[in-house]
Amino acid sequence: MSIAVHQTFPNPAGRKPASGETIFRGLTLAAALIVLATLLGVFVSLFLGAWPALHRYGLGFFVIQAWNPVTEKFGALAPLYGTIVTSIIAMIIAVPVGLGIAIFLTETCPRPLRRPIGIAIELLAGVPSIIYGIWGLFVFAPFMQTTVQPFLIDTLGTVPGIGDFFAGPPYGIGMLTAGLILAIMVLPFIASIAREVFLTVPDMLREAAYGMGMTRWEVNRSIVIPHVRSALVGGTMLALGRALGETMAVTFVIGNAPRIATSILQPGTTISAAIANEFTEATTNLYTSSLIALGLVLFVITFLVLAAAQLMLQRIKRRAGE
């Protein structure tokens, strides 16, 4: 004789969400919408403020080099050129150095030194930018003027093809100095992010690679870095965004000359430096609108960089899935 026991369980799919869950979902949605609304509000405000200059010059505003408040002729080409050049210099230096620091801390550094060195690198990220600017102006720029720039002029300045990039008198300040200061500023971000993502690589992968006879260089090049490639790209793009928008440190050491120079040793300017230097001196509506238009250009550039980073990450993940 058997007795069948039937028990009915509630259907989770048909259960109404609790009030707390509904409130939580609404709060998170509101937070996301606030971010989007703020972003849109910033863009609209910049566009409205920049409209007089854009209406006056049109697309020529982006290809005009002259910046003359007396004749009210303004162009964004020189600040745009300086922003791109200094950021490229910073990333060329900071990315390999940051990755090298991260690999050293995770692979070869003695354990008693890992934590102190890691803390020291993270503390660099907390130093205010104006401190970097003061140090760059009074300590680093004289060193560049007396040591580094004369050496570059005497050596690379005489090489055909690239000599024009290292020509001219050694002022100490200039785009190269600004790029080096930016590299020092973004280096902690790259090194810290790379170190954290390297630590997420399973030890099993490393041990298997070493068991196959790979060297430490081959393990990092073929196993570790490809495993966390997407995170490294994201961290690098965040550092690039910081370099594009840096203001005070660059203002101190770039020279603030609104012109395009082939040599990276010569003074120049960036979008953020031009706005910081001249916004309080803007006495006409067109002058103010031109400075706001520079801010709009920087906003768009930063947005495009981050959007390109997201597309690159999606492409990397898609390849990894295939």
Side-chain angles (χ1 to χ4, degrees):
M1 180 178 179
S2 61
I3 301 176
V5 179
H6 299 279
Q7 186 175 1
T8 304
F9 295 94
N11 183 12
R15 185 179 60 185
K16 294 183 178 179
S19 58
E21 183 179 352
T22 303
I23 295 174
F24 176 75
R25 184 181 303 173
L27 290 175
T28 54
L29 177 60
L33 293 178
I34 288 174
V35 172
L36 294 178
T38 302
L39 186 66
L40 181 61
V42 171
F43 175 78
V44 171
S45 299
L46 289 175
F47 183 80
L48 294 177
W51 176 248
L54 297 178
H55 180 70
R56 170 76 176 272
Y57 302 109
L59 295 178
F61 179 78
F62 304 101
V63 297
I64 296 175
Q65 179 180 346
W67 186 273
N68 193 337
V70 177
T71 60
E72 289 196 333
K73 188 174 183 180
F74 303 102
L77 186 59
L80 180 60
Y81 173 80
T83 301
I84 295 175
V85 169
T86 53
S87 298
I88 291 176
I89 294 173
M91 300 310 295
I92 289 176
I93 297 172
V95 170
V97 175
L99 293 180
I101 292 173
I103 292 174
F104 171 74
L105 291 176
T106 56
E107 298 290 338
T108 63
C109 181
R111 288 190 176 274
L113 296 179
R114 289 184 181 181
R115 185 172 180 83
I117 296 177
I119 293 175
I121 293 173
E122 293 175 357
L123 287 177
L124 286 176
V127 177
S129 60
I130 194 171
I131 302 300
Y132 282 109
I134 295 174
W135 173 78
L137 180 62
F138 292 104
V139 178
F140 193 64
F143 172 74
M144 293 287 293
Q145 184 180 21
T146 58
T147 305
V148 178
Q149 290 186 356
F151 173 77
L152 294 176
I153 293 172
D154 295 336
T155 55
L156 297 179
T158 59
V159 177
I162 64 172
D164 292 339
F165 295 104
F166 302 95
Y171 292 110
I173 58 177
M175 289 186 290
L176 177 61
T177 305
L180 291 173
I181 294 294
L182 284 177
I184 297 173
M185 296 183 66
V186 303
L187 178 62
F189 294 92
I190 298 176
S192 297
I193 293 175
R195 176 196 175 195
E196 295 299 325
V197 298
F198 285 162
L199 291 175
T200 63
V201 178
D203 292 335
M204 184 183 302
L205 295 179
R206 291 188 176 93
E207 294 172 357
Y210 287 129
M212 294 176 61
M214 285 188 175
T215 62
R216 185 169 289 162
W217 158 250
E218 292 173 338
V219 170
N220 284 279
R221 183 190 63 181
S222 305
I223 303 298
V224 176
I225 292 179
H227 187 77
V228 295
R229 181 170 47 190
S230 60
L232 292 178
V233 171
T236 301
M237 289 302 178
L238 288 176
L240 177 58
R242 170 72 188 274
L244 288 170
E246 179 53 43
T247 304
M248 295 308 301
V250 174
T251 303
F252 274 88
V253 298
I254 197 171
N256 302 306
R259 65 171 184 265
I260 296 177
T262 304
S263 174
I264 60 176
L265 306 182
Q266 302 306 303
T269 189
T270 63
I271 293 176
S272 55
I275 295 173
N277 282 322
E278 302 185 31
F279 201 83
T280 57
E281 301 176 0
T283 56
T284 63
N285 291 333
L286 185 61
Y287 194 177
T288 304
S289 178
S290 299
L291 292 173
I292 297 176
L294 288 181
L296 178 63
V297 172
L298 182 60
F299 180 88
V300 173
I301 291 175
T302 306
F303 179 81
L304 292 177
V305 167
L306 297 179
Q310 292 298 323
L311 293 176
M312 190 181 302
L313 291 176
Q314 292 180 3
R315 188 174 182 179
I316 292 174
K317 291 179 180 178
R318 193 181 304 115
R319 287 182 177 179
E322 293 174 356

